[in-house]
Amino acid sequence: MGRVLGLDVGDRRIGVALSDEGRRIASPHSVYQRVGYGPDTRYFLALAKEQGVAYIVAGLPYNMDGSLGGQADKVRAFCDQLAAAGLEVRYIDERLTTRAAERVLLEADLSRSRRRKVIDKMAAVFILQGYLDALALKDKNENRLD
């Protein structure tokens, strides 16, 4: 079946999260400092192979009115590079994931500098966990006897 890799794609950093083999739980992995499309793509190809990743779920930034945000084109451009390299990419609405991650980190009483270091991978966890929960709900509804 393979694991799922969750990405919170930013201009300078990419937050990374990984699912377990059963695709139930998202865990923080790392924050990748972007270098350029070529090196970035090679890094994620190697990571996907090393971790047994079946596909990638990237957060797509929508505006609150449901339209795609300006960052969405940048996320798609990056993910198009991953797809061209042979990785399957799926998207999920990432509205408010960074804000939710920030709230959790504030409640954990992390310092501002520590929050800055982990916020991207925590946002990736929220993106991936949202996807995994939706996937589990879909499977549950399809297997339900009426």
Side-chain angles (χ1 to χ4, degrees):
M1 179 149 70
R3 299 168 82 179
V4 181
L5 186 69
L7 301 180
D8 179 37
V9 180
D11 290 333
R12 287 173 270 160
R13 293 176 306 277
I14 299 174
V16 183
L18 276 167
S19 77
D20 62 326
E21 288 286 339
R23 297 184 184 172
R24 289 183 182 86
I25 300 170
S27 298
H29 181 273
S30 59
V31 175
Y32 174 77
Q33 298 294 321
R34 297 193 65 179
V35 179
Y37 278 134
D40 296 351
T41 301
R42 286 189 294 277
Y43 172 81
F44 284 102
L45 273 170
L47 180 63
K49 184 177 181 180
E50 172 189 311
Q51 296 294 331
V53 169
Y55 58 90
I56 293 171
V57 173
L60 200 56
Y62 283 82
N63 294 318
M64 293 311 290
D65 66 2
S67 63
L68 285 173
Q71 187 69 13
D73 290 335
K74 295 178 183 180
V75 171
R76 284 190 173 149
F78 174 71
C79 291
D80 286 348
Q81 294 293 317
L82 297 178
L87 295 169
E88 180 182 344
V89 179
R90 301 178 186 182
Y91 297 98
I92 188 169
D93 183 349
E94 73 161 6
R95 270 181 282 198
L96 302 178
T97 55
T98 300
R99 192 166 292 161
E102 179 79 22
R103 205 169 319 127
V104 167
L105 295 173
L106 281 169
E107 288 175 13
D109 202 27
L110 265 65
S111 69
R112 183 181 306 254
S113 65
R114 181 73 179 129
R115 285 193 313 266
R116 194 175 308 120
K117 292 177 184 175
V118 299
I119 188 72
D120 296 308
K121 67 180 168 183
M122 291 307 296
V125 168
F126 276 81
I127 289 166
L128 183 54
Q129 191 63 57
Y131 175 83
L132 296 174
D133 292 348
L135 192 63
L137 184 61
K138 179 183 172 198
D139 288 347
K140 180 180 176 183
N141 287 335
E142 287 177 357
N143 294 323
R144 199 170 73 173
L145 297 175
D146 291 319

